[in-house]
Amino acid sequence: MTTSTYQLRCRECGKTFDNQPRSVCECFSPLEVTYDYDSLKKNVSRELFASRAENIWRYRELLPLPPGFTPSLPVGFTPLVSAPRLGEKIGSRGLHIKNDAVCLPTLSFKDRVVAVALANARGFGFETVACSSTGNLANAVAAQAARDGFKAWVFIPADLEPAKILGTHVFGAEVVRINGSYDHVNRLCSQIADEHNWGFVNVNLRPYYAEGSKTVGYEIAEQLGWRLPDNVVVPMAGGSLITKIKKAFDELILLGLVEPKQVRFFGAQASGCSPISTAIKQYSSEIEPQRPKTIARSLAIGNPADGHYAIKAITKSGGWSEDISDPEVVNSIQLLAQTEGIFTETAGGVTVGVARKLIQQDRILPDETTVLCITGNGLKTTDVLADKFQADKPIAAKLSEFEAYLAAKNTDLPAAVA
Ligand SMILES: *Cc1c(COP(=O)(O)O)cnc(C)c1O
Ligand SMILES: [Zn+2]
């Protein structure tokens, strides 16, 4: 038995392992981090968490952090805001947005998982960290590796959005572009992890990485006044985030920090890469891998590592999963921006569009408390909006020119004014 308050445990056979950079059991099933909840119960309280600075480290007892770890960045604790204008458009009076478009340091929820993964990379003595990424993970690994003094190797599909590639290079990471999909990149990274003594955040450090996602759930509960919502809508790539928000809520109930409640989990995907939502809509518990073809690049994982567990979490909760087309993704990005002033990337468009669909299907009811997880920032995927707005011809800096411009505009756009 380990002296730590947490250890690794196989999700299928239950075999436990001392903490180590390892993600699969001898039975080939995934490992996850498990805690000594009895001792935690005596050591944590709402007041303790609330007394600390507003970042993910306020929940440190519920995260796998090696002894002596000191955080270098205030990651997380992003705003949870009510969204009445969006709610009016899509038919919900209890709509909230968890806004990880402004998560620090790199503007996506991936900063949370990387912060916890690098804490463990340090604990295990790695000097180099690495990842396979659909974009946001690359940014987060590169930035935090720079901050914490690791060397970083980042592997991405060659055709990712330019902003995500540039936003990785700038931090000095080695960026390897692979001809192929994320699934090809990920397979290669598993092989590299066997050959090199590197801490791959989402391969050999994956059980620790994944725990970082729980902080989204803790924050939602605390920001709702230590209550759980009725529904959560979560975008899915590998399917890890949605299962970890569920784990967070289950832990808060177990520790007596919130009243027990059955929260329904709703998964969101793009139709061009929807292996998880397709399985759920077919009442299947197994994933059929797909070849991704969608502008929602951050969600484009055709063979999701946690797909099976995401299906289980969603269906057991009484939730559902849906997917929307690429044009709907773009419309939904604009809808969120124009109603709530939040500029999200394609993954957030997927979440908003799917939420609208689920409300139309009466799977989410108007008076329920519903939280949409907006997981990334729109400045990273501006390409998808490029043909949506034409810049008007510039005018001279003269009042008369502006008045003429305004008059022309008003005759142009009677419908928009009405
Ligand atoms: C990675 C990612 C997700 C999905 O995360 P998983 O845990 O792999 O399901 C959602 N949104 C954004 C913006 C992401 O980068
Ligand atoms: Zn096992």
Side-chain angles (χ1 to χ4, degrees):
M1 184 61 196
T2 151
T3 52
S4 177
T5 55
Y6 60 89
Q7 60 181 336
L8 296 174
R9 187 176 63 196
C10 175
R11 290 173 100 161
E12 295 304 325
C13 77
K15 184 176 161 73
T16 57
F17 296 82
D18 283 344
N19 291 305
Q20 56 187 288
R22 168 177 192 146
S23 65
V24 283
C25 179
E26 286 141 14
C27 78
F28 300 109
S29 299
L31 302 178
E32 78 170 332
V33 178
T34 176
Y35 301 79
D36 178 354
Y37 290 107
D38 286 331
S39 81
L40 278 180
K41 219 175 221 168
K42 293 176 220 125
N43 295 330
V44 299
S45 66
R46 294 177 180 180
E47 294 70 31
L48 176 69
F49 294 143
S51 72
R52 294 172 172 165
E54 293 191 334
N55 58 60
I56 61 170
W57 310 117
R58 77 210 251 114
Y59 310 109
R60 66 182 82 114
E61 286 83 358
L62 307 180
L63 296 171
L65 300 175
F69 167 71
T70 32
S72 66
L73 281 172
V75 176
F77 219 85
T78 56
L80 179 81
V81 295
S82 70
R85 290 171 188 275
L86 176 63
E88 197 182 324
K89 291 274 188 208
I90 69 176
S92 166
R93 287 181 284 271
L95 200 63
H96 292 72
I97 288 172
K98 180 61 174 163
N99 185 9
D100 269 16
V102 294
C103 196
L104 292 177
T106 64
L107 309 181
S108 88
F109 96 93
K110 291 296 198 306
D111 286 320
R112 302 169 181 275
V113 287
V114 169
V116 177
L118 295 202
N120 285 279
R122 180 68 78 218
F124 294 132
F126 289 112
E127 286 165 12
T128 298
V129 292
C131 68
S132 56
S133 174
T134 58
N136 285 313
L137 185 60
N139 298 165
V141 165
Q144 295 189 46
R147 170 77 174 171
D148 292 343
F150 290 101
K151 236 188 123 23
W153 282 80
V154 166
F155 298 81
I156 54 172
D159 59 350
L160 270 195
E161 298 97 332
K164 287 185 180 162
I165 298 179
L166 187 147
T168 306
H169 273 300
V170 72
F171 299 112
E174 298 285 346
V175 179
V176 186
R177 293 165 64 226
I178 310 287
N179 283 316
S181 71
Y182 172 83
D183 299 282
H184 297 115
V185 176
N186 191 247
R187 201 167 320 133
L188 171 66
C189 285
S190 296
Q191 294 168 336
I192 298 172
D194 289 339
E195 298 297 322
H196 296 263
N197 190 33
W198 294 353
F200 273 86
V201 302
N202 56 341
V203 182
N204 49 356
L205 296 172
R206 189 172 178 87
Y208 302 98
Y209 150 102
E211 291 294 289
S213 288
K214 293 192 307 183
T215 57
V216 177
Y218 302 143
E219 291 174 18
I220 289 171
E222 179 172 356
Q223 289 168 319
L224 287 173
W226 295 106
R227 281 179 315 147
L228 299 180
D230 297 307
N231 311 299
V232 189
V233 186
V234 186
M236 302 184 295
S240 175
L241 173 63
I242 193 165
T243 63
K244 294 298 170 175
I245 296 176
K246 176 150 191 342
K247 183 175 181 183
F249 290 172
D250 290 345
E251 287 177 338
L252 292 179
I253 293 171
L254 184 66
L255 295 168
L257 296 170
V258 296
E259 288 294 316
K261 175 167 179 177
Q262 168 111 359
V263 179
R264 282 180 298 275
F265 283 81
F266 294 92
Q269 295 205 291
S271 302
C273 182
S274 52
I276 306 177
S277 73
T278 299
I280 287 176
K281 293 196 296 189
Q282 294 173 349
Y283 298 96
S284 163
S285 61
E286 293 310 321
I287 297 286
E288 282 251 15
Q290 293 183 1
R291 183 193 298 261
K293 193 174 179 343
T294 170
I295 56 168
R297 302 302 308 270
S298 56
L299 304 182
I301 297 184
N303 190 10
D306 289 285
H308 169 71
Y309 296 101
I311 294 171
K312 242 166 84 177
I314 291 167
T315 51
K316 275 176 82 177
S317 79
W320 193 246
S321 183
E322 266 298 350
D323 46 81
I324 58 166
S325 71
D326 285 359
E328 288 175 290
V329 173
V330 176
N331 286 339
S332 302
I333 290 172
Q334 292 175 269
L335 179 64
L336 177 63
Q338 292 170 16
T339 52
E340 301 295 346
I342 292 172
F343 186 17
T344 184
E345 69 146 85
T346 44
V350 168
T351 303
V352 169
V354 163
R356 163 181 242 166
K357 201 162 173 177
L358 293 164
I359 293 167
Q360 280 164 0
Q361 295 172 351
D362 294 329
R363 294 185 191 275
I364 289 178
L365 301 179
D367 285 316
E368 294 172 338
T369 302
T370 299
V371 176
L372 309 188
C373 292
I374 297 302
T375 47
N377 193 293
L379 292 173
K380 297 192 196 187
T381 62
T382 52
D383 346 20
V384 303
L385 293 167
D387 61 356
K388 283 282 164 182
F389 311 100
Q390 291 117 19
D392 282 348
K393 240 178 76 193
I395 60 170
K398 283 192 188 150
L399 181 59
S400 58
E401 286 238 4
F402 172 69
E403 296 298 346
Y405 176 91
L406 186 61
K409 199 108 204 169
N410 283 339
T411 49
D412 272 2
L413 288 173
V417 175

